[in-house]
Amino acid sequence: MPPSVPSLPRRVARMLRTSLFAQVACAIVLGIVVGKLWPGFAADLQPLGDGFIRLIKTIISPLVFCVVVVGIAKAGDLKAFGRIGLKALIWFEVASTLALVIGLLAANVVQPGSGMNVDPSSLDASAVDAKTGGEHLPSTADFVLNALPTSFMGAFAENSLLQVLILACLVGAALLHLGQTKVPQVLPAIEQAQEIIFAIVGFVMRLAPIAVFGAMAVLIGNYGLGVIETYGKLIILCYAAAALFIVLLAVALKAVTGLSLWKFLRYIREEMLLALGTASTESVLPRVMQKLRKAGARDDAVGLVLPTGYSFNLDGASLYLSIGTLFIAQAVGVDLSLGQQITVVLVLMLTSKGMAGIPGSAFLALSATASSLGAIPAGAVALLLGVDRIMDSMRVVTNLLGNCVAVFAVSRWEGALDRERAKKVLDGEIVVELEDEEPGEPEKAELKKSGLKRETAAEAG
């Protein structure tokens, strides 16, 4: 007698129980409904998203430390690690500069701020100070000094990825220098700590739908949907420019590695939806690191390139900053010359590198750019206060994809990518299961019937 097919409600219930993608998608829809119908109540849900981000940030530093140390020690070649870092920085600079140029070209062609005729004196410049909390972008010297840890534990306490990376490089180099004969227990202990951290990631990710619900409800409750009508031209331009940049990323990934960006998007669809819901790429860093490693990228490449990209490769932010600068100038009636626009690119090439982790960093970078030009009133930056949060989705998607493509490209460049495994994983021939997503018996039977090769987390490691 053939087995009975589960009814539609049962299948939906099973999907909601086992699929993080379905859970987060439902949370987004519920968040939009609650934010629209009860905006006052939605504003009180801010701690749901903030609490989740705090838990994730707690995990990131020790995870990056363990992955980098293990990657260096297992690779057995510190020079190769140095080459990976250098090639990553070259890729970051080329990609972010391309994003800036695309943004400027798009803003010149579409002219999103023309015809607004805004009087700068009517804008509340103090609102920008409130948004940035009195912070300021560090100078180049400060940025370099801040990347150096003042103490071993201080790097973890401050949650500074660059400081943790430097410590991890030093520890990994020391392990290579001493060898397994002198410190035989250290590397296995770090590997075990890494497994514990990944298990914690699994526990925390169960809270992701709650965090997405709270974040989406707050967004809609605070800003509503009316802001889209007011800034429609600017929003459409930013998202269209981001789409063009992502197409270029897909072409670059295909040319360098032979991999498909669209298949990779399907592979990380849960992480992408979570990043969109929480408006934070940090919320998915641990899981994306796992998936990149399981898709054939070597540990040392993943551990160095991805976290470094969070500080040096903000492609979505670069697009937004270049378009935003010209939008402000056009809105207040300032016509920027070609020389001034080149100055915009040069200034943003520097200021965009010091943005990570600073509240209101986009406004600080815009203010610094306006000041360097001397032609745009600093208070005009307040024009973007109402639309900035709507741009988070564009920045998050572009930043995350830009850094993931960088991992694959630099790994391929350095010979640290198992292309055959990567293709099989992205094609679904190897079904990679993360620790927090163990399928139930029906799913296991379905996988077996389809002939797909399923690997456990232990085998994939």
Side-chain angles (χ1 to χ4, degrees), residues 33-265:
V33 171
V34 170
K36 182 66 176 176
L37 297 180
W38 303 287
F41 170 71
D44 296 330
L45 299 177
Q46 183 75 41
L48 295 180
D50 290 348
F52 177 78
I53 299 298
R54 285 193 179 193
L55 287 173
I56 289 292
K57 285 184 175 181
T58 303
I59 301 166
I60 288 176
S61 290
L63 175 60
V64 169
F65 178 82
C66 292
V67 170
V68 172
V69 171
V70 171
I72 294 176
K74 286 191 172 181
D77 187 357
L78 195 60
K79 290 183 180 179
F81 195 73
R83 290 196 304 269
I84 290 174
L86 178 60
K87 291 173 181 178
L89 291 176
I90 293 172
W91 180 279
F92 293 160
E93 195 56 50
V94 171
S96 57
T97 302
L98 177 62
L100 288 171
V101 172
I102 289 175
L104 284 181
L105 291 176
N108 276 294
V109 171
V110 178
Q111 300 279 319
S114 61
M116 293 185 70
N117 301 317
V118 175
D119 181 4
S121 62
S122 65
L123 299 172
D124 184 10
S126 63
V128 176
D129 294 332
K131 177 75 174 179
T132 58
E135 294 282 351
H136 65 279
L137 290 177
S139 64
T140 302
D142 289 338
F143 181 73
V144 173
L145 286 176
N146 289 339
L148 301 176
T150 55
S151 69
F152 197 97
M153 299 308 297
F156 293 91
E158 295 176 15
N159 216 14
S160 170
L161 279 183
L162 292 181
Q163 292 184 12
V164 171
L165 276 172
I166 290 175
L167 286 176
C169 292
L170 292 174
V171 173
L175 285 176
L176 285 180
H177 176 71
L178 294 172
Q180 286 295 298
T181 56
K182 291 187 177 180
V183 283
Q185 302 301 322
V186 174
L187 184 58
I190 294 176
E191 289 182 296
Q192 291 168 12
Q194 178 178 283
E195 293 304 316
I196 292 172
I197 295 169
F198 276 131
I200 296 173
V201 171
F203 299 150
V204 175
M205 291 306 298
R206 297 180 187 277
L207 302 174
I210 298 174
V212 169
F213 165 73
M216 191 58 61
V218 170
L219 170 63
I220 301 301
N222 286 347
Y223 297 96
L225 302 176
V227 68
I228 297 178
E229 299 177 5
T230 306
Y231 291 93
K233 193 174 181 181
L234 175 63
I235 293 171
I236 292 173
L237 176 61
C238 285
Y239 278 82
L244 173 60
F245 184 79
I246 290 172
V247 170
L248 294 178
L249 283 178
V251 172
L253 182 64
K254 191 71 174 179
V256 175
T257 68
L259 302 177
S260 168
L261 183 62
W262 317 120
K263 291 180 180 178
F264 178 72
L265 262 173

Side-chain angles (χ1 to χ4, degrees), residues 363-385:
F363 292 97
L364 293 172
L366 287 168
S367 298
T369 306
S371 300
S372 66
L373 292 173
I376 304 175
V381 175
L383 274 172
L384 293 174
L385 284 171

